[in-house]
Amino acid sequence: MPTARRRVVVRAPGKINLSLGVGAVDDRGYHALATVFQAVDIYETVSATRADELSLEVHSEVPGEIPLDESNLALRAAELLRTEFDLRDGAALHIHKQVPIAGGMGGGSADAAATLVALDRLWGLGLGSEGLRQLGSRLGADVPFAMLGHTALGRGNGADLTTVLTHGEWTWLLAVPGGHLSTPAVFRRFEEIATGGGRPPVTHPTVDERQLQALSGGNLELLADTLHNDLQAAAFSLHPGLEPVVEAAEQHGALAALVSGSGPTVAVLVEDEAQARSIAAGLMSESLVESCLVARGSAAGASVLEEE
């Protein structure tokens, strides 16, 4: 058995969806998805220290309410491990948050991913990457990707992952307009729009092959042309402040902009950091957003920073 540790620190990245195709609901109640994830260098950092009980503290650099009860994904990850392996071990968990809360960037999933990796080492379980990803998929479709990182094609409910090779640099302005969107509510609105328009979701959504070509060839213009989110219209409908951000970003010279995942963070594709900061200044001056972050993809997945 691997050696248990006294303290482990792990960080995991936030993500954006370069494309998100949403299909029909299966017999388990999950929507079929076809998505291209890209991890960005904005991180959630989880430290886990041996303790008699399970506890959680959060220090956040971003605004918003974070549940500290059993609904928190980090605590759910810890309880999943304890249940799965019939453990009574405790841990004092501390999360340092940088990913926007309820922003469609998978911050909670990154917390869960980092917690699983940290506790696997803290408790000496030795599950390995594949075992951890399989467990993580039971907590949500974004959790396995937060472990894998970089850029990946996600199928099924998003947890069936294939790494996508990329070439070149990808710089993003992440525009945070304020307010939150409930992921289930966005999916419900998506279904209402699809049904009302007489276009029910397809059974098996697909990803535009040109997007994969753009990533492998480092083609910014082609990537911009293939950014797509089936949930965007639903997010616009539920958050009236979103569409003006997308439009203004493009008017200020962005290559393209779209809602990330279920929103409300808007991912803006730019040529470099200077352009990102110029567009951010424009959005802030027009009071369209509360904050802006510059990020780069494709960042590494969950990684151990310290252990003792």
Side-chain angles (χ1 to χ4, degrees), residues 18 36 38 151 164-167 170 211-218:
L18 309 186
V36 176
Q38 186 165 91
T151 304
V164 172
L165 297 178
T166 65
H167 177 77
W170 313 97
Q211 183 162 96
L212 305 182
Q213 293 167 13
L215 290 164
S216 65

Side-chain angles (χ1 to χ4, degrees), residues 173-176 279-281 283-284 289-294:
L173 173 67
L174 304 172
V176 184
I279 294 170
L283 296 178
M284 294 292 288
V289 296
E290 286 188 351
S291 62
C292 288
L293 304 167
V294 180

Side-chain angles (χ1 to χ4, degrees), residues 69-262:
D69 58 14
E70 63 276 2
S71 67
N72 185 284
L73 270 177
L75 285 177
R76 286 176 57 195
E79 290 293 2
L80 176 61
L81 277 177
R82 295 212 300 183
T83 300
E84 195 75 7
F85 295 95
D86 194 24
L87 301 173
R88 296 183 180 178
D89 300 54
L93 301 174
H94 179 275
I95 299 174
H96 182 180
K97 289 194 69 68
Q98 293 181 306
V99 177
I101 296 167
M105 290 187 60
S109 296
D111 292 340
T115 298
L116 288 172
V117 173
L119 293 181
D120 175 58
R121 298 179 82 91
L122 190 79
W123 294 338
L125 302 177
L127 289 174
S129 299
E130 185 58 34
L132 286 168
R133 284 200 294 269
Q134 287 179 5
L135 268 182
S137 69
R138 290 159 59 179
L139 295 166
D142 293 344
V143 177
F145 176 70
M147 294 183 192
L148 182 65
H150 298 291
T151 304
L153 173 61
R155 298 185 179 89
N157 70 342
D160 177 7
L161 299 171
T162 304
T163 296
V164 172
L165 297 178
T166 65
H167 177 77
E169 294 186 354
W170 313 97
T171 304
W172 300 90
L173 173 67
L174 304 172
V176 184
H180 302 297
L181 282 173
S182 157
T183 298
V186 174
F187 273 95
R188 285 195 297 271
R189 184 64 184 132
F190 163 78
E191 292 168 1
E192 291 169 0
I193 292 172
T195 302
R199 294 182 178 179
V202 299
T203 304
H204 300 292
T206 58
V207 165
D208 188 340
E209 287 294 327
R210 296 181 307 140
Q211 183 162 96
L212 305 182
Q213 293 167 13
L215 290 164
S216 65
N219 189 328
L220 276 172
E221 290 73 19
L222 182 57
L223 180 62
D225 193 47
T226 60
L227 296 181
H228 175 75
N229 183 357
D230 277 352
L231 295 179
Q232 182 159 286
F236 283 172
S237 172
L238 295 173
H239 192 315
L242 278 185
E243 192 167 8
V245 175
V246 171
E247 292 176 348
E250 293 178 344
Q251 288 167 2
H252 282 290
L255 293 166
L258 83 167
V259 174
S260 177
S262 57

Side-chain angles (χ1 to χ4, degrees), residues 283-307:
L283 296 178
M284 294 292 288
S285 70
E286 295 170 31
S287 300
L288 291 172
V289 296
E290 286 188 351
S291 62
C292 288
L293 304 167
V294 180
R296 291 174 180 80
S298 56
S303 56
V304 177
L305 300 183
E306 302 173 34
E307 57 183 342

